[in-house]
């Protein structure tokens, strides 16, 4: 029976590498994969998914205005699975489209992405996946203190933790650091205390 999968993790947990490895495993067995991502993710080009360790593949970028189910019916062809990277950027309606593909077309849909943003707030796509996915699993990574990282700390150009701004700000290791919640809060407080002392 086909399922809707949500595999989530903090920045640097090798979500994209995992997605591309799953794609490879399907294809090694002679199966076809429809690899997609939200058009919001332009870091490595409009039609490329690339991991930090250098794995990459061409994909179909889906704009937030597109109906995922309609695009699937028109373009995917005869596939055995759908793999979605950066699924947090899909709309809730697009996630419902994945659910429809699983239910009506009996195809597995594997979604890889973040659970929360740099302020620990849910992304719309991730929130919807937590509500309707059949299988939810965490891809773990660690904070520099050794604890499990759960926060995607956004870092400013001057090296400070960012605590306000737009939910979406594309970047990799240059812009985000995975931290445990304790270290994230401590760093914010330490930076504020230092700023107050200097004023």
């Amino acid at each position: 029976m086909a399922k809707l999968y949500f595999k989530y993790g903090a920045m640097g947990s090798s979500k994209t590498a995992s997605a591309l490895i799953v794609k490879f495993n399907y294809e090694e067995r002679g199966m076809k994969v429809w690899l997609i991502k939200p058009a919001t993710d332009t870091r490595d080009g409009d039609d490329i998914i690339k991991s930090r360790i250098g794995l990459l593949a061409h994909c179909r970028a889906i704009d937030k205005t597109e109906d995922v189910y309609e695009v699937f019916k028109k373009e995917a062809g005869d596939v055995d699975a759908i793999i979605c990277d950066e699924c947090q950027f899909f709309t809730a309606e697009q996630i419902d489209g994945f659910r429809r593909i699983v239910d009506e077309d009996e195809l597995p849909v594997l979604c890889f992405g973040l659970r929360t943003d740099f302020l620990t707030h849910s992304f719309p796509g991730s929130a919807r996946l937590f509500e309707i996915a059949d299988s939810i699993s965490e891809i773990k990574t660690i904070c520099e203190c050794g604890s499990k990282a759960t926060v995607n700390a956004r870092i400013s150009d001057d090296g400070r933790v960012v605590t306000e701004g737009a939910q979406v700000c594309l970047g990799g290791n240059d812009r985000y650091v995975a931290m445990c919640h304790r270290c994230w809060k401590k760093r914010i407080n330490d930076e504020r205390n230092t700023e107050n002392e200097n004023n």
Side-chain angles (χ1 to χ4, degrees):
M1 177 183 254
K3 292 183 180 180
L4 176 60
Y5 297 86
F6 182 29
K7 299 174 184 293
Y8 71 92
M11 296 288 292
S13 61
S14 300
K15 297 177 302 299
T16 298
S18 296
L20 294 175
I21 289 168
V22 171
K23 175 184 179 291
F24 174 83
N25 289 339
Y26 269 100
E27 292 174 345
E28 189 177 38
R29 288 158 181 78
M31 298 178 180
K32 294 180 182 177
V33 171
W34 192 42
L35 183 64
I36 63 174
K37 71 173 183 177
T40 305
D41 179 19
T42 57
R43 287 173 300 174
D44 298 304
D46 293 338
D47 65 343
I48 297 287
I49 291 176
K50 182 178 178 183
S51 73
R52 291 178 302 121
I53 61 171
L55 299 175
L56 63 86
H58 287 277
C59 68
R60 166 59 155 93
I62 308 284
D63 189 80
K64 65 182 179 181
T65 62
E66 292 184 282
D67 182 309
V68 164
Y69 191 78
E70 287 182 7
V71 174
F72 160 72
K73 282 299 196 182
K74 289 177 185 174
E75 299 181 18
D78 184 20
V79 297
D80 298 289
I82 298 168
I83 297 177
C84 318
D85 194 34
E86 302 294 352
C87 63
Q88 71 274 3
F89 296 141
F90 286 115
T91 66
E93 293 77 18
Q94 288 173 324
I95 300 300
D96 288 339
F98 296 144
R99 178 78 258 176
R100 184 178 176 192
I101 292 168
V102 171
D103 293 343
E104 296 182 15
D105 296 271
E106 298 183 3
L107 282 176
V109 179
L110 297 90
C111 298
F112 294 79
L114 299 173
R115 179 179 68 168
T116 58
D117 65 16
F118 72 110
L119 295 176
T120 70
H121 300 150
S122 293
F123 286 97
S126 302
R128 189 64 179 139
L129 279 162
F130 273 111
E131 294 167 343
I132 64 170
D134 298 302
S135 173
I136 299 169
S137 57
E138 183 177 14
I139 302 170
K140 297 177 178 70
T141 191
I142 58 169
C143 176
E144 63 182 12
C145 75
S147 297
K148 185 174 83 166
T150 58
V151 178
N152 305 300
R154 185 182 294 171
I155 308 300
S156 67
D157 291 336
D158 62 356
R160 297 172 58 83
V161 173
V162 177
T163 57
E164 58 185 26
Q167 185 174 51
V168 177
C169 177
L170 298 179
N173 292 346
D174 59 324
R175 183 64 61 192
Y176 291 93
V177 175
M179 295 181 173
C180 70
H181 198 273
R182 183 182 61 216
C183 286
W184 178 65
K185 291 298 287 184
K186 182 180 184 305
R187 183 159 164 184
I188 290 169
N189 290 333
D190 289 348
E191 289 174 355
R192 285 180 180 160
N193 290 337
T194 300
E195 186 177 338
N196 290 337
E197 289 171 5
N198 293 335
N199 287 339

